[in-house]
C-alpha cells in the first residue's frame, strides 16, 4: 500500500492532535505541513474549500476533513493493526456518542474560560466542571474510556490534556483537584509513547494561549 | 439481528425523521413512542440521561442516541439490505462530512430564520439559503447525494423538506426559485416509499411551526 499521506495542521490544535495520535498508533508515515491560520495556504483552501480549517488529511491527493471523520477513515483504511474503534456496532455507537459529546462540549467551554473574565469566566468554569464530571462518570473505574485499551473516545479527549495547564492557570483553578479521575486517566494514557511523543508541551501551549489572550485584549 | 426495536420520538423532529426513514428503508418493524418534550418520560430520561433528547433508538433494551449515530448503527446491524453508507472508506468519509455539514451548518442556519428581530431573520434566511446552495453544489448532476442510490447524506437532509411549506408561508422563502435543484432532488426522494410513508403532512408541520414560532418571534 505505497501511500502518500499529508497532514495539514496547526501545532496547538486539539483536533489536529487527534489525527497525529491516530497516525502514530497505526505507524503511518506522513508529511506534516504546518499552516499559518492567519494566512492559509492555497493547498488548504483547495483541499477544504467548505470549512477552510485544519486538520486535513490528504491521502494519495484526496482530502478528508473533520478530525473525527479523519480518525474513522484512518481506522477503516489501515484496518490491519491497532483498531481505534470497537468492532461491535453497539460499542461503536457508544464510542461515537461520547466522542461527539467531547466535540460538542469540551472545546467551547474550554475556550470560554481562557477568552473571558469575571462572571462569564466563572460561569464557564462551572460548566467546565459539570462536563468533566459527566466524563468522569462515563469513565467510571475503567482504565480507559475504551475499557481495557484506549480507543476512539480516549483519542478524542486526550489532546485537551496539553491545554490543561493553560486552562487551569488562566481559569485560576487546579485541574487535578477538580477532576482527579480525568487527570489520572490522562497520565495513564500518556505512558503510551505514541501519545507522549505527539502531544505538545503544556508550557508551550500556555505561552501560545497567553499570546492569543493579548490579542483579545485580556492581558 | 431482529429483536425488539423502540423509537422515542417527537413527530415534527427533523432528527427523528432521519431515523424513521432509515428504519423504513431497512424494513425494520419497531414500536414508536411519542414524547411530550415539555414533560419528558422517565423512559427517555433513563435512556438518554446525558442529552435528554429524542430521537432515541432502543434495541433489545439498549439505547442509541444522536440521529446520525443511530442511522449508522442501523446500517451496521441490519447490513443485509439497502446499504445507507458507501462501502468504500473514502466515499464513506465524504458521506460523513456532508451529513456533518447538514448538522453544523444547514440546521444551525435554519434556526436563525426564526430569530426574534426582523434584520436577524433576513440574515438567517440568507445564511440558510447559502447552505442549501452549497448542498446543491455537492449534489451536482447526481440523482441523489449518494450517487445512483438514496443514502446517508440524502437521509440527513430530506427531513428539512417537510419544513419548506412552513418557510414559504411564514417566511416568504420561495425554495423553488432559490434552490430548484434541492426541490427536484427532494421530489425524487419523496417517490421512495420509505420517505413518502414516513413524511409528516406539511400542513400539520406548518401549523406546528406557526404555533412554536409565536413563542420566539415578535410577529
Amino acid at each position: 500500500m505505497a501511500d502518500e499521506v499529508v497532514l495539514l495542521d496547526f501545532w496547538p490544535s486539539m483536533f489536529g492532535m487527534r489525527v497525529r495520535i491516530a497516525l502514530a498508533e497505526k505507524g503511518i508515515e506522513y508529511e506534516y505541513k504546518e499552516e499559518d491560520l492567519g494566512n492559509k495556504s492555497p493547498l488548504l483552501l483547495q483541499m477544504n474549500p467548505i470549512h477552510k480549517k485544519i486538520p486535513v488529511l490528504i491521502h494519495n491527493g484526496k482530502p478528508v476533513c473533520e478530525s473525527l471523520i479523519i480518525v474513522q477513515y484512518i481506522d477503516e483504511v489501515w484496518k490491519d493493526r491497532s483498531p481505534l474503534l470497537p468492532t461491535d456496532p453497539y460499542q461503536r455507537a457508544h464510542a461515537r456518542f461520547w466522542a461527539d459529546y467531547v466535540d460538542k462540549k469540551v472545546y467551547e467551554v474550554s475556550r470560554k474560560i481562557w477568552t473571558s473574565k469575571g462572571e462569564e469566566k466563572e460561569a464557564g468554569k462551572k460548566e467546565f466542571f459539570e462536563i468533566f464530571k459527566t466524563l468522569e462518570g462515563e469513565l467510571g473505574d475503567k482504565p480507559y474510556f475504551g475499557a481495557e485499551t484506549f480507543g476512539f473516545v480516549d483519542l478524542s479527549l486526550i489532546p485537551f490534556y496539553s491545554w490543561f495547564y493553560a486552562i487551569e492557570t488562566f481559569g485560576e483553578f487546579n485541574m487535578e483537584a477538580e477532576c482527579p479521575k480525568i487527570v489520572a486517566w490522562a497520565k495513564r494514557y500518556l505512558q503510551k509513547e505514541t501519545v507522549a511523543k505527539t502531544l505538545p508541551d503544556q508550557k508551550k501551549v500556555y505561552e501560545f494561549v497567553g499570546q492569543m489572550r493579548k490579542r483579545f485584549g485580556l492581558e | 439481528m431482529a429483536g425488539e426495536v423502540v423509537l422515542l420520538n417527537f413527530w415534527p423532529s427533523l432528527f427523528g425523521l432521519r431515523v424513521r426513514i432509515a428504519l423504513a428503508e431497512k424494513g425494520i418493524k419497531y414500536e414508536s413512542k411519542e414524547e411530550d418534550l415539555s414533560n419528558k418520560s422517565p423512559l427517555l430520561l433513563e435512556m438518554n440521561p446525558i442529552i435528554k433528547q429524542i430521537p432515541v433508538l432502543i434495541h433489545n433494551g439498549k439505547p442509541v442516541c444522536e440521529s446520525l449515530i443511530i442511522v449508522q448503527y442501523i446500517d451496521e446491524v441490519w447490513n443485509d439490505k439497502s446499504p445507507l453508507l458507501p462501502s468504500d472508506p473514502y466515499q464513506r468519509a465524504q458521506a460523513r462530512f456532508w451529513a456533518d455539514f447538514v448538522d453544523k451548518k444547514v440546521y444551525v442556519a435554519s434556526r436563525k430564520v426564526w430569530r426574534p428581530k426582523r434584520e436577524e431573520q433576513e440574515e438567517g434566511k440568507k445564511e440558510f439559503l447559502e447552505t442549501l446552495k452549497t448542498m446543491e453544489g455537492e449534489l451536482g448532476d447526481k440523482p441523489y447525494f449518494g450517487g445512483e442510490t438514496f443514502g446517508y447524506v440524502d437521509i440527513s437532509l430530506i427531513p428539512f423538506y417537510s419544513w419548506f411549506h412552513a418557510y414559504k408561508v411564514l417566511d416568504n422563502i420561495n425554495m423553488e426559485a432559490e434552490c430548484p435543484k434541492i426541490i427536484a432532488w427532494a421530489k425524487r426522494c419523496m417517490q421512495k416509499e420509505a420517505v413518502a410513508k414516513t413524511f409528516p403532512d406539511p400542513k400539520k408541520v406548518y401549523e406546528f411551526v406557526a404555533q412554536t414560532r409565536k413563542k420566539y418571534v415578535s410577529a
Side-chain angles (χ1 to χ4, degrees):
Chain A
M1 208 192 292
D3 285 302
E4 194 198 60
V5 182
V6 177
L7 176 64
L8 306 183
D9 201 356
F10 178 51
W11 72 267
S13 163
M14 304 140 194
F15 306 102
M17 283 176 220
R18 288 168 171 174
V19 180
R20 283 175 247 159
I21 293 171
L23 290 165
E25 272 304 311
K26 298 279 189 178
I28 298 163
E29 286 191 14
Y30 65 99
E31 183 189 350
Y32 179 92
K33 287 194 172 171
E34 186 75 13
E35 281 287 329
D36 172 0
L37 298 185
N39 184 24
K40 293 174 180 177
S41 73
L43 181 63
L44 173 56
L45 299 176
Q46 182 202 348
M47 291 287 146
N48 191 358
I50 302 295
H51 298 305
K52 305 176 173 57
K53 289 176 152 173
I54 58 89
V56 180
L57 189 82
I58 312 172
H59 184 203
N60 294 330
K62 300 200 295 187
V64 185
C65 308
E66 295 299 301
S67 63
L68 294 182
I69 293 175
I70 299 171
V71 170
Q72 290 182 80
Y73 174 77
I74 289 169
D75 200 39
E76 290 169 16
V77 173
W78 287 272
K79 56 179 189 274
D80 53 335
R81 58 199 121 137
S82 307
L84 303 172
L85 275 98
T87 42
D88 170 69
Y90 187 78
Q91 296 305 330
R92 239 198 327 273
H94 192 80
R96 284 179 179 137
F97 175 88
W98 283 100
D100 183 60
Y101 179 87
V102 172
D103 249 8
K104 286 187 172 127
K105 303 281 188 183
V106 181
Y107 178 74
E108 281 307 321
V109 80
S110 305
R111 195 168 195 280
K112 224 189 254 188
I113 293 176
W114 64 265
T115 57
S116 63
K117 37 190 180 177
E119 262 181 49
E120 216 191 311
K121 181 166 114 175
E122 290 308 307
K125 276 162 71 172
K126 190 162 169 276
E127 210 186 313
F128 182 90
F129 298 145
E130 270 165 28
I131 288 166
F132 273 86
K133 288 240 154 34
T134 302
L135 288 167
E136 286 190 327
E138 168 57 19
L139 181 63
D141 294 319
K142 307 195 296 290
Y144 301 102
F145 287 91
E148 290 311 308
T149 55
F150 79 93
F152 192 56
V153 182
D154 303 273
L155 198 150
S156 72
L157 184 62
I158 195 65
F160 290 90
Y161 179 77
S162 64
W163 282 62
F164 280 179
Y165 181 70
I167 296 167
E168 70 184 348
T169 308
F170 293 122
E172 293 170 294
F173 65 90
N174 182 284
M175 201 58 202
E176 188 144 19
E178 298 288 343
C179 313
K181 272 188 158 178
I182 289 291
V183 174
W185 157 82
K187 290 185 170 164
R188 188 178 304 125
Y189 197 1
L190 253 103
Q191 285 165 22
K192 283 187 69 63
E193 201 193 342
T194 46
V195 178
K197 278 199 322 188
T198 312
L199 291 191
D201 176 54
Q202 287 193 333
K203 293 270 160 63
K204 268 190 84 182
V205 173
Y206 167 74
E207 277 160 25
F208 164 77
V209 177
Q211 274 171 13
M212 297 279 285
R213 280 168 56 94
K214 279 204 186 93
R215 266 199 258 161
F216 291 156
L218 286 155
E219 298 279 359
Chain B
M1 197 191 290
E4 194 196 59
V5 182
V6 177
L7 177 65
L8 306 184
N9 197 16
F10 177 53
W11 73 268
S13 163
L14 303 165
F15 305 103
L17 188 50
R18 288 169 170 174
V19 178
R20 288 172 44 221
I21 292 170
L23 289 165
E25 268 293 279
K26 298 279 190 177
I28 298 162
K29 289 200 164 44
Y30 63 99
E31 182 191 350
S32 188
K33 287 192 175 181
E34 189 72 11
E35 282 287 329
D36 172 0
L37 297 184
S38 59
N39 184 23
K40 294 173 179 176
S41 72
L43 181 63
L44 173 57
L45 299 176
E46 183 199 335
M47 290 287 143
N48 192 357
I50 305 298
I51 316 281
K52 303 177 175 57
Q53 297 216 52
I54 58 92
V56 179
L57 190 82
I58 312 173
H59 185 203
N60 293 328
K62 300 200 296 186
V64 184
C65 308
E66 294 299 301
S67 64
L68 294 180
I69 293 175
I70 299 172
V71 172
Q72 290 183 76
Y73 174 77
I74 288 169
D75 200 38
E76 291 170 15
V77 173
W78 287 271
N79 57 10
D80 53 335
K81 62 181 126 154
S82 306
L84 304 174
L85 275 102
S87 46
D88 169 70
Y90 187 76
Q91 297 304 331
R92 222 175 9 253
Q94 296 312 303
R96 287 181 177 135
F97 175 88
W98 284 102
D100 180 64
F101 179 88
V102 173
D103 261 3
K104 286 193 173 115
K105 300 286 184 186
V106 180
Y107 176 68
V108 172
S110 75
R111 298 297 308 224
K112 292 180 184 175
V113 175
W114 298 336
R115 276 169 164 165
K117 300 199 189 115
R118 186 113 199 117
E119 326 83 64
E120 290 176 326
Q121 285 165 29
E122 287 308 309
E123 203 189 297
K125 264 194 236 181
K126 194 164 163 275
E127 210 183 304
F128 181 44
L129 290 171
E130 265 166 34
T131 63
L132 289 174
K133 289 193 166 82
T134 302
M135 293 304 295
E136 282 191 323
E138 170 54 20
L139 181 64
D141 294 318
K142 305 195 295 291
Y144 300 103
F145 287 94
E148 289 307 309
T149 52
F150 181 79
Y152 187 62
V153 182
D154 304 278
I155 289 177
S156 71
L157 185 63
I158 193 61
F160 287 83
Y161 184 64
S162 66
W163 291 51
F164 282 5
H165 177 67
Y167 281 126
K168 184 172 193 178
V169 178
L170 294 169
D171 303 288
N172 207 26
I173 300 180
N174 185 344
M175 276 307 172
E176 290 263 12
E178 299 280 355
C179 304
K181 274 188 160 180
I182 289 290
I183 297 295
W185 158 81
K187 289 180 174 171
R188 194 176 298 126
C189 291
M190 292 298 290
Q191 284 167 17
K192 288 185 64 64
E193 201 193 335
V195 180
K197 48 173 214 195
T198 43
F199 238 61
D201 176 6
K203 300 253 166 66
K204 273 189 78 184
V205 174
Y206 158 71
E207 277 158 24
F208 166 76
V209 170
Q211 253 180 22
T212 317
R213 266 197 74 171
K214 283 201 190 106
K215 283 190 236 170
Y216 300 113
V217 179
S218 47

